[in-house]
Amino acid sequence: MARRKTVMQVLAEAYKAKQQAKAAELKRAQQKEQRAAKAAEERRRGQKREAAKAEAEHARLLAAGEKHLNREQAAQAREVARIERELAKRQAERERAAEQQEREQARAEKERQKQVRETRLAQLKDEAEQRTLQAQERMTALQAVLTDRPKRLKSWHPYVEQSFAEQGPQGVADAVEEVLNRSPVPEGCRAGAGAAYVPEAQRLLIEVELPQHEVVPAVMSYRVVAQRVEIVAQPRKEAESKEAYRTLVARLALRALDEAFSTTPPSLVTTVVFNGHVSAKDRATGRPVRPCLVSVVAQREAFDQLVLDEPELDPQSCLKYLGAVVSRHPHDLEPVPPVVEIDLSMYRITADAGAVAGLDSRPDLLQMDPYAFERLVRELFEAMGFETWRTQGSRDDGVDAVAVQRDPVGTTVFAIQAKRSKNAVPVETVRALAGVMHDKAASRGVLVTTSWFGKASDDFAHRTGRMQLINGRNLKALLKEYLNMDVLIGLPKTPPGWQASDVQ
């Protein structure tokens, strides 16, 4: 029989069992913890493995993606390079085509310019030849001024005679003016012409407007300079131009004389006075001038001896043969004194008739017709040895007649104004005549009146030194002396200082 255990043993065993249970429990708990830790460690390791695997897969996928991307990029780069090469090739082809086109265009443009230049040179050559021909034709026409003059002017004789019978001297002047102004001279050679006729002396005065020296072509010929593609003028030598102008002036003067003599019958005109003027600007002052370049008094008998159609005729020598006064330097507008200093643009000759025959014994000058009084004054000056002309009323500028006095020293032209008045002549009238003299370049002025002049008029005339005042009593005395006419001056009162016999 087993021995019964004591309480202490039981307690000790119980304690020991309890401790063992606790130890077993602790061991189990430790084992559990170890298992849990091991499981956790396994999980961690699994997670690590999974993470590593995932990371490896990610790396693999990333590497694969990068590799694929690189392949794609490489493919794209290759495509881009291919496209760029294609574009560069196309661009190069376009550039080569453009360069080829440019070269072709340049060649075409060069060829076109060459053709244009050749065409232009041909045109310029034709133009140069044409202009040369025109200059030569112009020079030929100027050289033929004298030989190509009208040949049938004698057919005008009946017309001139009829005009003289119907219109008097003005009819002859008008006919000659018409011939001169209608004469077919080369363009620019005759700007105008005027004429006046003096039947008492059978003298015809003509005044012709001569051309300036520019009428002679300053160029002899034209040529083309190919390098510059332009026409260059070959100028005429200055000495040659001056000589051509001198000869042209002589030819124009001889032609005008021939036309004047040919147009008028010998029974009406035996002498022609020619004055050739040129209107220009004074190079020193810029003011208008009108110098006389040629002046000649030609007799029909001497002129008829000339053979103007002779090619060897020297126009300048011919004028000297006629006794002409010719400017030595017409190109420089060097003037010569006219043989007859009459400006026909101011003094036009009109029909004249005798006035003395129309006056009764003891006529009253104040009762005379104004035109009859003017004619009487002209007849007085003719009796005193002057040559006189009556000016046309519409353009007389206050001048009623012209008187010319000749002496061995020269010719003096008087502008005459006749005033039929019963009152004193105002000083303004005297001054007006002086102004006309200055404006028209008249040598002297004469104012004739039936009345008297005041002191202011006498003083003014004395100061000018070129005016003469003839009052009524002086006029009455001159008429008695030179025309043997006893006239009356019916003034309402006797002027101061006069006697009754001075007007009766």
Side-chain angles (χ1 to χ4, degrees), residues 106-119:
R107 285 195 297 269
E109 178 65 19
K110 186 177 181 180
E111 184 65 24
R112 187 189 68 81
Q113 291 180 356
K114 180 180 178 181
Q115 293 177 356
V116 169
R117 186 172 183 273
E118 291 177 352
T119 302

Side-chain angles (χ1 to χ4, degrees), residues 117-127:
R117 186 172 183 273
E118 291 177 352
T119 302
R120 179 58 178 163
L121 285 174
Q123 293 175 346
L124 289 178
K125 183 177 180 181
D126 293 341
E127 182 180 348

Side-chain angles (χ1 to χ4, degrees), residues 142-350:
L142 296 181
Q143 292 170 349
V145 161
L146 188 56
T147 56
D148 288 349
R149 66 193 187 280
K151 304 296 185 182
R152 300 181 178 179
L153 294 179
K154 290 184 179 180
S155 61
W156 281 73
H157 288 187
Y159 174 74
V160 173
E161 291 172 344
Q162 181 180 359
S163 298
F164 179 65
E166 295 177 356
Q167 304 175 35
Q170 191 59 51
V172 177
D174 290 343
V176 174
E177 283 187 7
E178 184 177 356
V179 170
L180 293 175
N181 288 311
R182 289 173 55 186
S183 181
V185 295
E187 182 180 359
C189 284
R190 184 179 292 173
Y197 177 54
V198 185
E200 297 84 356
Q202 292 184 319
R203 175 173 292 184
L204 179 68
L205 290 91
I206 59 174
E207 183 176 85
V208 172
E209 191 72 20
L210 298 172
Q212 297 187 36
H213 68 86
E214 288 84 2
V215 72
V216 175
V219 176
M220 293 183 59
S221 62
Y222 296 85
R223 63 183 180 90
V224 177
V225 179
Q227 291 79 2
R228 293 183 290 179
V229 192
E230 65 179 10
I231 296 176
V232 176
Q234 181 66 33
R236 194 180 305 278
K237 294 181 179 179
E238 184 178 2
E240 184 180 346
S241 295
K242 290 182 177 181
E243 180 61 24
Y245 181 61
R246 279 194 295 269
T247 304
L248 175 62
V249 168
R251 287 193 178 107
L252 290 171
L254 291 173
R255 174 167 176 154
L257 287 170
D258 179 75
E259 290 170 347
F261 277 122
S262 298
T263 303
T264 55
S267 60
L268 293 181
V269 175
T270 59
T271 306
V272 173
V273 178
F274 172 88
N275 284 345
H277 294 263
V278 58
S279 297
K281 293 295 180 63
D282 190 328
R283 297 172 187 173
T285 64
R287 295 176 60 84
V289 292
R290 194 168 177 268
C292 179
L293 302 184
V294 183
S295 185
V296 58
V297 177
Q299 304 296 327
R300 183 183 292 271
E301 182 178 358
F303 194 84
D304 287 344
Q305 302 301 316
L306 303 178
V307 185
L308 300 180
D309 294 324
E310 171 57 47
E312 296 184 6
L313 177 74
D314 182 2
Q316 299 183 58
S317 299
C318 186
L319 282 180
K320 291 181 181 179
Y321 169 78
L322 295 175
V325 181
V326 184
S327 172
R328 295 182 60 187
H329 304 287
H331 185 277
D332 298 322
L333 303 180
E334 180 179 284
V336 296
V339 177
V340 178
E341 296 180 355
I342 298 178
D343 183 357
L344 294 179
S345 66
M346 181 179 70
Y347 304 117
R348 287 202 58 194
I349 300 175
T350 58

Side-chain angles (χ1 to χ4, degrees), residues 61-79:
L61 293 175
L62 182 60
E66 289 180 352
K67 185 177 181 180
H68 178 73
L69 181 61
N70 290 336
R71 287 197 299 270
E72 289 292 329
Q73 289 177 344
Q76 289 179 359
R78 289 192 298 274
E79 182 66 17

Side-chain angles (χ1 to χ4, degrees), residues 352-359 368 371-377 379 485:
D352 198 8
V356 178
L359 293 177
M368 290 180 62
Y371 295 105
F373 179 68
E374 293 175 11
R375 289 196 297 271
L376 177 62
V377 172
E379 290 182 357
M485 290 184 58

